Amino acid sequence: MKRKGDIAMQLLKERILKDGVVKPGNILKVDSFLNHQMDIELINEIGKEFKARFSDCPITKILTIEASGIGIACIAAQYFHVPVVFAKKSQSVNLDGEMYCTKIESFTHKKVYDVIISKKFLSPEDHVLLIDDFLANGCALLGLIDIVKKSGATLEGAGIVIEKGFQHGGQQIRDMGVRLESLAIIDSMTDDSLTFRVLIFRRQNTSNHQTITGIFILLTYFHFTYVFSFYFRFMLFHCSAACYCSPGFLRPLQPEFLLCSLQAHPLELPGSFS
Ligand code: 5GP
């Protein structure tokens, strides 16, 4: 049976196919529903899906970069119940020691920006989830990862709405050991065709639950088998001990007594002859 989240992500892919426009320079325009006009119902499902995929992480902050990551991060944050911090782009920064700063090359504008975050909003106690709309060559995510490292916070992973799998960012970030969850991965795109990667082995919460349930059932089974076999042996031992030790009414159960009485009164079975 399909998960609710899988159905929602299918809707995302159908929406990309229906409304996405491929522009020169490997740019996919999805401004009618994701990063200019925003389809809040769809983005709400995207937020829920990020929560489902990172539900095992103790996220304390969602970190994104202005501008198009902010809306998506805010909707997702409602499911994590944590604040959103967004990195600000600026072309020249007066570093006053109160900011974490890194450089990011914008994929769409081909400019290098200084990107800043106030030190007040990111500390070593934080567990950070990065969220962005697109992943192409990975500059934006690498910049955010750099800031997380500088702050001493723990990076739990990154959630991306659309990864362009034919550009190298995704591979590079996975190779760094970062847990990267992209909701739709495009493997190729031209003016009139677009192909999505089909993920067969994807980490899912439901399968985690199934695994835990399976392990629990197995442990229960082994536990009861052990307890019952122990109990059975215990009873057998005590019964035989009782038979041997008791002088009275259990005497007929003693093996010697049974043997003697068999010798005294041989069994007369139907059809037996002596
Ligand atoms: P990267 O830094 O991974 O090369 O590019 C990611 C950033 O560039 C994202 O924050 C996103 O805003 C922008 N971007 C990259 N590729 C596209 C694209 O095809 N379409 C749109 N609309 N934005 C993109």
Side-chain angles (χ1 to χ4, degrees):
M1 209 177 72
K2 269 199 165 182
R3 260 185 347 127
K4 247 185 168 182
D6 288 334
I7 298 168
M9 291 315 101
Q10 191 56 38
L11 288 178
L12 167 67
K13 289 177 189 167
E14 282 165 16
R15 195 65 185 274
I16 295 170
L17 287 174
K18 183 168 146 285
D19 292 334
V21 180
V22 179
K23 292 280 177 188
N26 277 331
I27 290 186
L28 177 66
K29 272 194 104 176
V30 285
D31 58 358
S32 63
F33 64 94
L34 193 66
N35 50 21
H36 193 163
Q37 172 172 262
M38 297 172 79
D39 179 337
I40 297 303
E41 277 177 25
L42 179 64
I43 297 174
N44 198 33
E45 293 304 320
I46 287 170
K48 276 189 211 166
E49 183 61 11
F50 282 139
K51 172 65 189 168
R53 295 196 189 193
F54 289 98
S55 60
D56 56 328
C57 302
I59 310 288
T60 60
K61 287 230 169 111
I62 291 182
L63 183 61
T64 187
I65 183 161
E66 68 176 1
S68 42
I70 298 176
I72 302 163
C74 288
I75 291 183
Q78 291 182 307
Y79 293 100
F80 288 89
H81 304 287
V82 297
V84 171
V85 180
F86 65 90
K88 294 184 174 199
K89 290 175 188 164
S90 136
Q91 285 192 45
S92 65
V93 179
N94 286 330
L95 287 175
D96 59 3
E98 296 305 312
M99 301 280 181
Y100 298 116
C101 180
T102 194
K103 287 192 188 302
I104 289 181
E105 185 184 337
S106 161
F107 181 86
T108 39
H109 300 115
K110 304 289 173 227
K111 272 186 194 165
V112 176
Y113 292 96
D114 281 306
V115 165
I116 51 167
I117 289 181
S118 169
K119 285 189 176 172
K120 279 189 289 189
F121 303 128
L122 214 50
S123 65
E125 294 76 46
D126 279 319
H127 290 253
V128 179
L129 172 65
L130 308 176
I131 282 188
D132 205 1
D133 57 345
F134 271 92
L135 172 59
N137 292 329
C139 298
L141 273 192
L142 288 171
L144 294 177
I145 291 170
D146 183 44
I147 286 182
V148 173
K149 276 191 187 150
K150 284 177 177 158
S151 74
T154 307
L155 178 64
E156 293 291 345
I160 295 290
V161 182
I162 304 172
E163 175 182 337
K164 291 184 288 179
F166 53 89
Q167 290 169 322
H168 62 81
Q171 189 61 44
Q172 188 180 349
I173 282 161
R174 287 188 182 92
D175 288 347
M176 288 165 65
V178 174
R179 179 169 164 190
L180 174 62
E181 295 278 353
S182 299
L183 305 187
I185 304 181
I186 297 172
D187 268 338
S188 68
M189 66 183 197
T190 60
D191 285 353
D192 49 16
S193 83
L194 208 146
T195 34
F196 291 105
R197 189 172 302 171
V198 182
L199 294 179
I200 298 166
F201 301 105
R202 182 163 58 64
R203 257 172 70 83
Q204 285 181 3
N205 266 338
T206 42
S207 71
N208 279 352
H209 287 151
Q210 282 161 357
T211 313
I212 290 167
T213 313
I215 290 171
F216 180 75
I217 290 171
L218 268 180
L219 285 179
T220 313
Y221 172 77
F222 286 128
H223 175 75
F224 278 105
T225 314
Y226 175 77
V227 166
F228 278 120
S229 78
F230 179 78
Y231 180 72
F232 182 71
R233 276 179 277 149
F234 178 85
M235 291 301 288
L236 203 68
F237 172 78
H238 277 263
C239 287
S240 5
C243 289
Y244 267 105
C245 302
S246 64
F249 69 101
L250 285 175
R251 189 165 150 64
L253 290 176
Q254 289 177 3
E256 293 94 327
F257 182 89
L258 284 173
L259 280 176
C260 290
S261 40
L262 276 177
Q263 279 161 3
H265 312 282
L267 281 179
E268 283 181 14
L269 297 173
S272 70
F273 53 91
S274 51

